Amino acid sequence: MKIAIPLYNNRVSPRFNHTDRLLIADIDGGEYVRKETVFAGDIHPLKRVRILNDLDVDVLICCGIDRFTALQFEYQGIDVYHGVSGDAEMLLERFMENDLEQFLMNSSGRNRCRKSRQKIRRKNCRRK
Amino acid sequence: MSHFNNETIKDIILDSIADGVFTVDEKWQITSFNRAAEKIIGISRSEAIGQNCCDVFRADICQKACKLKATFESGKEVINHRVNIINKHGETLPISISTAVLKNSTGEIIGGVETFRDLSTEEILRKEIQDTYSFEDIISASKDIRKIFDILPDIAESDSTVLIEGPSGTGKELFAKAIHNLSLRNSKPFVAVNCSALPETLLESELFGYVKGAFTDAKKDKPGRFALAEGGTLFLDEIGNISKMVQVKLLRVLQEKEYEPLGSSETVKADVRIITATNKKLKDLVDSDEFRQDLYYRLNVFKIELPPLLDRRQDIPLLTEHFVRQFNAKRGKEIQGISPETMDVLMNHDFPGNIRELENIIEHAFILCHGQVIEIEHLPVELRQSHQSELLLHKPKPVKPLAQAETELIKSVLTAQNGNRIKTAEALGMHKTTLWRKMKKYNLL
């Protein structure tokens, strides 16, 4: 499973669409497989969505994200936890321990969605 | 006042201010957060206090151009600086901020204060007046629309011509703007022309411009829309309505990337991306010989088909909420929303006029609604009538008691069979004894 966190220094960026860097963590069975930082730059929200989709990200953990971009992630079948603040590494650990809820401001920040057929299809294509 | 401590008094004062106010300590942690701030941002005071201000405020300037930080460093106040924030619901809100430092009695900086005012109403009106809607203003949770957004970056980067087909009122121009904004041409102009709004001769001069003396009223050179859109994007709406002559000229620009303004013998190079739109099926116009096939293929390198609102009913509540907010700003009202029954009527309507029709319905309701909730009686009469007919169609007819219905049926068949009970029993599909028993029961003997 791949998790993305937009970065502001070592913390979660306050605005997903205004961050330069994204932490991408690949985890399997509660263990890190790989961690990398991806440069996002000053690009359009739809291109950001595209980058994460191309990286095969399953979950985005972020703080502020506009509804337009969040809906596009939902369409791509990427789960979005928004309104999350704190140290990015710590939040990754919490996520792996299934203990992220306490870091959601106002407990409203989750756009859960099942993986869309398109996402699954894309993933299958990549595996081939 | 003696029973109030200083903190309580400070909170009372802050809560009495109509603008949002928060204070931070020197570590950027929020130390107070007034009621207006709770309302604008949507985060409660108890949640906000102790948090880093950027995690709560979520402004576009937080990471790279924080005004409070600038005030800390320079000691200078910032007044009425426009930024945008994201509230708890994911809505992007334009606000105006002012900042100042907080000092203790010895003049040492101990924190900062930021006040902010919601400019959403002004922003709605500004967009309305300046027509500066962007595609982020397209409100849709529909898969069909999201699928288009998914491929939009590829289309935008390709620099190919794009044909947008869709019924009137589906937002074709917004998608054209989206493609322009995503393209490498986004720093250059986006110029829109409604081809059906101009007669043939005017359209030609409007598109290609003219030189002095080209016709009687041509007192000086006038650049056309192609020239105005140089380096950028030219959006030709209602392309299906252009004449054969303009079709030929347009084909030449697409093929040769050059044209001559009216009355000029000089050829002008055109570096313009063309996006066209139509509410007709352009292929049908080609088949009926009203549109040149070669031009059709030039324009139709990539086609986007926008679905009618009927096919994206799930967007009706979202769009309704949007229009209510918009008309509240325009009309100075405070309508909270629409009743579930009214939403039911809208959800069952087919919207032949698409989103524009929904907008008109909400505008109509705003005129009649003097309360806080739009009810069915505030909807246009045709919509109410069609809803009532719909109800009547599906309303079960009044049920007669079984005994009464049976009596009437037996009577009518008996009359039809001239009182012959055997034939009546046969016609009713029952035994003659059963018929006799029922006649006795209903006093028909």
Side-chain angles (χ1 to χ4, degrees):
Chain A
M1 173 187 265
K2 273 194 179 176
I3 299 138
I5 302 181
L7 294 173
Y8 175 37
N9 299 326
N10 296 321
R11 294 173 59 82
V12 179
S13 164
R15 285 281 283 261
F16 170 72
N17 282 333
H18 289 266
T19 189
D20 284 342
R21 293 174 304 127
L22 290 153
L23 174 66
I24 310 289
D26 196 351
I27 56 167
D28 189 13
E31 301 282 329
Y32 286 118
V33 177
R34 192 171 174 220
K35 249 194 303 187
E36 61 178 329
T37 306
V38 174
F39 183 74
D42 184 19
I43 55 170
H44 194 276
L46 284 177
K47 288 185 183 168
R48 285 174 185 268
V49 176
R50 168 66 60 83
I51 287 174
L52 295 199
N53 199 45
D54 288 349
L55 286 168
D56 225 5
V57 165
D58 301 280
V59 174
L60 170 69
I61 298 171
C62 62
C63 186
I65 185 168
D66 62 276
R67 197 191 280 177
F68 177 87
T69 312
L71 278 169
Q72 197 59 22
F73 275 119
E74 191 175 318
Y75 169 74
Q76 297 290 4
I78 296 174
D79 279 355
V80 178
Y81 291 80
H82 62 91
V84 184
S85 59
D87 180 83
E89 295 279 349
M90 178 273 292
L91 289 166
L92 266 179
E93 298 284 342
R94 296 292 187 190
F95 178 79
M96 287 194 283
E97 289 163 14
N98 208 12
D99 189 24
L100 198 63
E101 299 290 331
Q102 60 172 304
F103 297 94
L104 299 179
M105 221 170 285
N106 266 20
S107 310
S108 65
R110 195 172 183 195
N111 284 1
R112 274 230 65 128
C113 52
R114 282 173 294 166
K115 296 283 167 281
S116 68
R117 283 166 191 267
Q118 187 183 3
K119 179 83 181 176
I120 293 163
R121 194 167 59 242
R122 282 186 177 199
K123 284 189 171 182
N124 289 341
C125 288
R126 285 195 189 99
R127 283 191 191 108
K128 282 171 197 169
Chain B
M1 293 287 282
S2 59
H3 58 285
F4 288 124
N5 61 32
N6 283 342
E7 280 300 305
T8 314
I9 292 169
K10 187 189 78 185
D11 285 345
I12 292 169
I13 293 169
L14 286 178
D15 284 346
S16 69
I17 301 171
D19 286 355
V21 182
F22 70 79
T23 57
V24 294
D25 60 20
E26 66 277 19
K27 291 177 184 165
W28 309 105
Q29 288 183 331
I30 293 176
T31 48
S32 61
F33 198 74
N34 78 341
R35 195 170 292 155
E38 286 183 309
K39 194 178 168 198
I40 295 169
I41 301 177
I43 290 172
S44 69
R45 180 180 310 185
S46 59
E47 290 246 302
I49 287 182
Q51 298 277 355
N52 275 14
C53 56
C54 65
D55 293 334
V56 174
F57 207 47
R58 303 166 192 176
D60 52 351
I61 56 165
C62 279
Q63 266 183 241
K64 290 175 184 166
C66 173
K67 293 296 166 194
L68 201 49
K69 191 178 178 187
T71 301
F72 265 53
E73 286 166 358
S74 67
K76 287 181 186 167
E77 294 176 353
V78 170
I79 296 169
N80 288 337
H81 182 80
R82 195 186 172 97
V83 302
N84 72 59
I85 60 167
I86 289 183
N87 71 6
K88 177 192 143 189
H89 310 293
E91 292 161 339
T92 306
L93 300 181
I95 59 164
S96 164
I97 61 167
S98 298
T99 61
V101 289
L102 294 173
K103 294 178 181 174
N104 63 14
S105 53
T106 60
E108 188 187 354
I109 293 176
I110 54 164
V113 57
E114 187 153 321
T115 60
F116 51 101
R117 194 159 44 89
D118 186 0
L119 301 177
S120 301
T121 305
E122 289 91 328
E123 178 70 4
I124 289 169
L125 296 174
R126 189 187 63 78
K127 281 189 174 182
E128 180 78 13
I129 293 163
Q130 298 177 352
D131 191 21
T132 51
Y133 293 102
S134 71
F135 78 109
E136 281 96 339
D137 294 307
I138 299 171
I139 292 157
S140 180
S142 138
K143 279 196 173 178
D144 288 340
I145 298 289
R146 291 284 149 190
K147 194 175 171 183
I148 295 169
F149 282 142
D150 189 34
I151 53 170
L152 225 48
D154 297 321
I155 300 171
E157 281 173 9
S158 72
D159 213 35
S160 305
T161 56
V162 181
L163 170 63
I164 305 172
E165 281 187 357
S168 295
T170 46
K172 295 187 282 294
E173 186 167 341
L174 280 181
F175 277 88
K177 278 185 187 167
I179 295 166
H180 172 74
N181 289 339
L182 276 165
S183 74
L184 297 171
R185 295 175 177 270
N186 62 10
S187 60
K188 300 287 181 177
F190 173 87
V191 177
V193 182
N194 187 331
C195 299
S196 67
L198 298 164
E200 182 184 322
T201 46
L202 261 181
L203 180 63
E204 194 188 346
S205 65
E206 194 65 34
L207 288 178
F208 305 108
Y210 54 80
V211 292
K212 185 181 171 185
F215 47 87
T216 317
D217 289 331
K219 304 271 192 274
K220 56 180 181 178
D221 291 2
K222 187 186 177 233
R225 300 293 178 104
F226 268 99
L228 294 174
E230 181 62 21
T233 305
L234 181 63
F235 173 59
L236 302 174
D237 201 2
E238 310 288 6
I239 191 72
N241 295 352
I242 63 169
S243 68
K244 283 282 177 86
M245 190 190 75
V246 179
Q247 286 178 32
V248 173
K249 291 215 161 191
L250 195 55
L251 181 66
R252 179 161 174 243
V253 184
L254 286 165
Q255 281 175 334
E256 313 294 336
K257 308 276 181 209
E258 59 187 29
Y259 64 95
E260 285 95 31
L262 253 71
S264 171
S265 55
E266 276 185 37
T267 302
V268 180
K269 288 278 175 196
D271 173 25
V272 175
R273 183 186 200 177
I274 309 272
I275 300 176
T276 57
T278 175
N279 59 3
K280 300 171 179 170
K281 291 276 177 197
L282 215 50
K283 184 72 175 69
D284 293 347
L285 296 180
V286 172
D287 293 343
S288 59
D289 207 26
E290 292 168 71
F291 203 86
R292 290 181 68 104
Q293 191 174 42
D294 43 9
L295 178 59
Y296 171 71
Y297 288 120
R298 285 276 174 186
L299 297 176
N300 185 27
V301 174
F302 204 96
K303 181 152 75 179
I304 293 174
E305 288 179 85
L306 295 182
L309 186 54
L310 178 68
D311 292 348
R312 36 183 281 219
R313 282 191 193 277
Q314 71 271 43
D315 288 341
I316 293 171
L318 291 173
L319 289 162
T320 303
E321 186 192 324
H322 164 76
F323 288 130
V324 166
R325 219 174 14 239
Q326 200 172 52
F327 283 113
N328 272 331
K330 281 159 74 175
R331 304 264 184 264
K333 289 195 169 188
E334 287 188 0
I335 290 175
Q336 302 297 313
I338 73 169
S339 70
E341 297 77 24
T342 316
M343 181 55 79
D344 196 39
V345 175
L346 295 179
M347 291 299 280
N348 284 298
H349 184 56
D350 286 345
F351 290 101
N354 294 296
I355 298 161
R356 202 168 293 139
E357 185 185 353
L358 176 61
E359 184 181 5
N360 292 346
I361 288 170
I362 303 299
E363 185 173 7
H364 181 280
F366 257 72
I367 295 167
L368 299 182
C369 178
H370 299 291
Q372 290 202 316
V373 176
I374 294 171
E375 302 287 353
I376 291 177
E377 63 261 30
H378 303 135
L379 297 178
V381 67
E382 316 86 71
L383 193 61
R384 275 185 283 146
Q385 277 171 352
S386 89
H387 175 64
Q388 275 162 357
S389 325
E390 195 77 11
L391 282 180
L392 284 174
L393 207 64
H394 293 103
K395 192 177 172 183
K397 287 178 182 160
V399 180
K400 288 179 187 171
L402 185 61
Q404 188 188 342
E406 215 167 33
T407 309
E408 282 174 15
L409 183 66
I410 292 169
K411 266 188 189 174
S412 66
V413 179
L414 266 172
T415 311
Q417 300 296 341
N418 295 319
N420 187 320
R421 290 183 197 172
I422 294 171
K423 285 184 179 174
T424 301
E426 278 173 7
L428 290 168
M430 59 176 74
H431 195 268
K432 58 182 181 184
T433 318
T434 309
L435 177 64
W436 180 84
R437 202 162 21 86
K438 285 185 184 289
M439 286 174 70
K440 189 179 177 190
K441 182 180 169 186
Y442 301 136
N443 292 321
L444 296 175
L445 288 173

